Amino acid sequence: MTNIYCSQGHQNPSGSRFCLQCGEKIGSVPTSGNSGIQAGQTLGDRYVIIRQIGQGGFGKTYLAEDLNRFREPCVLKEFSPQIQTPYVVQKAEELFQREASVLYKLQHPQIPRFRELLRINIQGKESLFLVQDHIDGETYNSLLNSRQKQGLKFTETEIRQLLQQILPVLEYIHSLGVIHRDISPDNLMLRSSDQLPVLIDFGGVKQVAATVASQYYQTGAITSPTNGTLLGKIGFAPPEQMQTGMVSTHSDLYALAVTMLVLLTGKQPQELIDTYNFSWQWRREISLSSALGQIIDKMLSPIASDRYQTARQLLQVLNPQPIITQPITQTVNHQQTQPPTTATVAISPPKIPTPVPEPVIIPTPSQPGIWTGKNVLILVFVLTIGSYLHWQKIKPPTNNLQTNNPTIVPSSNPTETAKPEVTFSAEERQRKQKLKDRREELDINYKFYVTLVNQVFREKYPNLKGRILTDNPEDENLRTEWDQTAAEVLEKLSAITSDSRSQLGNYTGDERAIWQFKINQINVGSRSLYDLGDAAFFSEFPEQKSKSFIKQPIGQVWYAFVNDQFNAILDKSIFERIVFPEGATGKTVSGTLQPGKGKVFIAGLAKDQNMEVNLEANSKVLLSIYSPSGKIVLIEDSQKRTVSETLPEKGFYEFVVVSKASESVDYQLTVTAENPSEPEPSATPIEEPTPTETPTPESN
């Protein structure tokens, strides 16, 4: 009987319509590729193709059964050059032989065993296959997708366990001079039999393919490759790997850190990194212990020399005790074709060791007579006390800033050993309690509050960038500054309405589309809305002018201020339509503007009319005028007090006045036009700027 498999590699009896393990409809799974390899075909008189299970830039991957090993499932990874010349075929085989010799050296229970390098001529085309053991299990990407359907993600405990189990594997391959190059949730599998992570799909195959292509193109046969080759996944590989192809042991650790963040947050790398300054913003999505947070930040340092350089170094940080290294002999099973080998790997001790006294050697009669019963008892007592004190020293703290008011500032030198419990002064405890009460009163999400204050604090004290504040006495003054910054931020956030505050941390670009659609219905464009929102936001956070902040935590505050202005336009508290009295050629409107406040007016005017606008107000009051279609800006954020124009369009013109004064100011706006006429009901629709043209807070 021939077994059949779903896309996850689960084995099912012949004739199954649905996978017995995951429920996938097997009939929908492709059984062959376009290379002429069909399901049921036997390659090399040994491997029966079951189905295609993947496809990459250099070939396809197939699930097969090994006829020489009682139909054991195995994986065939194909490299089929698009250009078939004697040079390409010869060079590919040479390099694949070298790569195969590397894979052959990898004898570790958490790495698929390499079986052989297979060369096949299929329909006149040379193809090379790497044959490896098949792993019965699921990729971590598949596991994450399944959890997300249930509203779940990986926990910090699970990620710590994953680190403990996969780092010894990396230490092993690195000790042999092998770099994986392509670590991601797709290339880590959780094996069903023992629930251990398995490292698959080494990037050396891609390196071989890229080298073959590069050397072939340099022969002059053709001028340039049709497509560039990137080794490693964008977002997972460190910058230097994607830019130059340079890899090292810390390259794998960088990719492992990104993998952990994806599993913890359920977000892809491009959703977690600020593309403006290439800083990771994962703390918006999840709150971790400060210890693991510091470890991740160090692993993701943009400067390669600032990262952990080896897996052993990282293991020692995770377990601040000596790592016991001992030989592990692989168990011989029915799948092995090679004799058992011995590989040296790091065995990590338990996370929280139980205090056990050092062993006491009781002397034999031939030993010196100093080992009296009394001396033995003394030695036992001393060693027991010493062991206990050592355990107390490494015991994790029960009180830290994350419990009360964390200052999670990325650090390139995370503390590697937990510190003893520290008690804050009565004054500091009282201060932190007030902050907690105020935050809860304003109904601000705790995680967002921490990331926002951290950003403002770092910008206020740039010399502390990369430093994490500890709960030690020497950082008491800095903690006071952080708390003062937090109090100032909370006070500024109190200017936002409760409805808009409650959404802080959850605003997305979708809000802009909603704002635009609804205010367009009353002939107001998004430029006017942003003028009002910017005035309110920069009144409270003037230091953000000319900064690219929209994707930073402070950008969420901008959204909240704009949302308030949006609601105020809809309820007409800051929106008014100017209608000329019958027989008049103009109208005057007036009012008082509070600091950071503004108002938008619209007036229906005709094309070719001569319009004049006069504004009487403090110099801190700015004026903007936009055409009905939004294509023409007559003036913007201007201190001009008189504007004369021959109108280019027919429709509703927008007049925006905003105050940048620190006190309330009065204004008087007069709009006059010759032979004014109301536009027809089908006034010129507002043509909002495209996303690349849309005024954003960065440009103001």
Side-chain angles (χ1 to χ4, degrees), residues 11-49:
Q11 181 176 307
N12 295 272
S14 176
S16 300
R17 296 179 58 193
F18 297 90
C19 177
L20 300 179
Q21 295 188 48
C22 66
E24 178 185 305
K25 186 176 180 181
I26 297 178
S28 63
V29 176
T31 58
S32 66
N34 298 322
S35 63
I37 300 177
Q38 304 294 324
Q41 184 175 348
T42 302
L43 301 184
D45 296 325
R46 178 173 180 176
Y47 302 104
V48 179
I49 300 299

Side-chain angles (χ1 to χ4, degrees), residues 112-126:
R113 182 171 50 86
F114 170 74
R115 294 183 181 226
E116 68 169 309
L117 178 65
L118 185 67
R119 179 179 177 178
I120 299 289
N121 187 302
I122 302 175
Q123 298 178 354
K125 188 176 182 180
E126 293 288 344

Side-chain angles (χ1 to χ4, degrees), residues 492-680:
K492 292 178 178 182
L493 296 183
S494 68
I496 304 171
T497 64
S498 58
D499 287 344
S500 296
R501 273 200 314 269
S502 65
Q503 299 179 59
L504 286 170
N506 297 310
Y507 288 105
T508 67
D510 294 340
E511 274 76 19
R512 292 194 184 194
I514 295 171
W515 294 336
Q516 175 183 318
F517 173 77
K518 291 190 176 181
I519 61 176
N520 281 181
Q521 304 305 304
I522 56 175
N523 298 294
V524 176
S526 60
R527 281 191 175 93
S528 297
L529 173 62
Y530 296 153
D531 283 348
L532 297 168
D534 285 352
F537 175 72
F538 291 127
S539 176
E540 297 293 344
F541 297 92
E543 72 281 358
Q544 296 299 326
K545 289 182 180 178
S546 302
K547 289 185 179 180
S548 299
F549 61 77
I550 195 64
K551 294 185 179 181
Q552 301 290 334
I554 196 70
Q556 289 286 302
V557 180
W558 178 84
Y559 271 103
F561 274 107
V562 177
N563 194 53
D564 275 352
Q565 304 308 305
F566 164 72
N567 290 324
I569 289 175
L570 293 186
D571 67 24
K572 298 185 179 181
S573 60
I574 60 169
F575 167 67
E576 183 178 338
R577 180 177 174 182
I578 296 175
V579 179
F580 295 170
E582 186 175 354
T585 58
K587 183 174 181 179
T588 299
V589 291
S590 60
T592 301
L593 298 177
Q594 300 301 321
K597 301 301 182 182
K599 192 165 185 176
V600 58
F601 302 88
I602 64 170
L605 303 172
K607 183 179 180 180
D608 296 329
Q609 279 188 296
N610 294 320
M611 178 190 72
E612 183 171 306
V613 178
N614 291 286
L615 176 63
E616 295 181 19
N618 184 297
S619 61
K620 295 294 183 68
V621 175
L622 305 182
L623 175 64
S624 301
I625 304 176
Y626 304 115
S627 71
S629 67
K631 294 180 179 179
I632 301 173
V633 177
L634 278 67
I635 59 172
E636 187 171 29
D637 288 339
S638 175
Q639 292 182 330
K640 290 180 67 174
R641 292 300 177 251
T642 300
V643 179
S644 297
E645 292 282 347
T646 298
L647 300 180
E649 299 174 350
K650 177 181 181 179
F652 288 99
Y653 283 78
E654 300 169 60
F655 306 86
V656 185
V657 290
V658 297
S659 173
K660 296 194 175 182
S662 57
E663 66 284 329
S664 61
V665 293
D666 297 330
Y667 70 92
Q668 182 173 289
L669 179 69
T670 301
V671 179
T672 61
E674 294 180 357
N675 304 317
S677 61
E678 284 292 312
E680 298 174 2

Side-chain angles (χ1 to χ4, degrees), residues 433-446:
Q433 185 61 47
K434 286 183 178 180
L435 287 174
K436 179 177 181 292
D437 294 343
R438 182 59 168 157
R439 178 185 61 80
E440 292 178 348
E441 177 187 355
L442 295 175
D443 190 25
I444 297 173
N445 177 271
Y446 175 72

Side-chain angles (χ1 to χ4, degrees), residues 458-487:
R458 286 196 301 268
E459 293 176 354
K460 188 176 180 181
Y461 302 99
N463 60 310
L464 295 177
K465 188 174 183 180
R467 160 88 181 276
I468 184 167
L469 304 188
T470 69
D471 50 11
N472 295 332
E474 58 265 26
D475 279 345
E476 183 175 357
N477 290 337
L478 287 176
R479 292 199 304 273
T480 300
E481 295 291 344
W482 195 97
D483 290 348
Q484 181 179 341
T485 301

Side-chain angles (χ1 to χ4, degrees), residues 188-223:
L188 282 173
M189 292 190 70
L190 184 65
R191 188 161 50 202
S192 300
S193 60
D194 55 13
Q195 295 297 295
L196 283 176
V198 178
L199 193 59
I200 65 173
D201 279 353
F202 281 70
V205 177
K206 299 175 184 178
Q207 178 70 59
V208 167
T211 303
V212 170
S214 173
Q215 294 188 9
Y216 177 72
Y217 295 131
Q218 292 172 11
T219 66
I222 57 177
T223 57

Side-chain angles (χ1 to χ4, degrees), residues 235 254 258 261 269 272-274 278-283 297 300:
Y254 183 102
V258 179
L261 290 181
L272 298 172
I273 193 169
D274 185 338
F278 296 100
S279 62
W280 290 90
Q281 303 295 323
W282 57 267
R283 285 184 172 84
D297 285 335
L300 292 175

